[in-house]
Amino acid sequence: MHQVRPETILPVEPAVVEIAETYIARHVMPADPAGDALHLALASLHRCDFLVTWNCQYLANANKFGHIRRVNTLLGLYVPLLVAPLELLAEGDNEI
């Protein structure tokens, strides 16, 4: 199994662009070519366990996750967990 190290910069290869375009065409993500669709495509193609984001409108959103899961399943892609940074803090460490 391929493991992506946290400091790895993932290449934006043609497959990633195609996946991002599919997300936009299926209304999973807005039409921002360097934004959410691209980030989700990279995380999905490279089988990242998590996609950590402050974007709770399109990515770390429980209402959107089912749609993302369905499209990724149709494309034969891994579905990373989409979480806000605070969700990854250890219990008791999330006091602000």
Side-chain angles (χ1 to χ4, degrees):
M1 176 189 281
H2 177 72
Q3 184 172 353
V4 177
R5 296 174 51 121
E7 67 276 4
T8 301
I9 296 176
L10 300 173
V12 180
E13 52 205 59
V16 172
V17 174
E18 289 177 26
I19 295 165
E21 288 172 349
T22 301
Y23 291 149
I24 293 166
R26 292 184 173 258
H27 306 288
V28 176
M29 295 288 131
D32 176 5
D36 300 322
L38 186 63
H39 292 145
L40 180 58
L42 283 163
S44 299
L45 183 66
H46 291 282
R47 302 183 55 82
C48 296
D49 292 328
F50 298 97
L51 175 53
V52 182
T53 180
W54 284 113
N55 184 338
C56 296
Q57 183 175 4
Y58 295 108
L59 290 171
N61 180 329
N63 294 320
K64 295 284 286 183
F65 188 72
H67 193 189
I68 292 167
R69 185 179 58 237
R70 282 189 297 279
V71 171
N72 273 19
T73 299
L74 286 170
L75 296 173
L77 294 171
Y78 182 78
V79 183
L81 291 176
L82 307 170
V83 298
L86 295 176
E87 294 179 81
L88 293 180
L89 294 174
E91 189 172 318
D93 287 349
N94 57 358
E95 293 181 21
I96 297 177

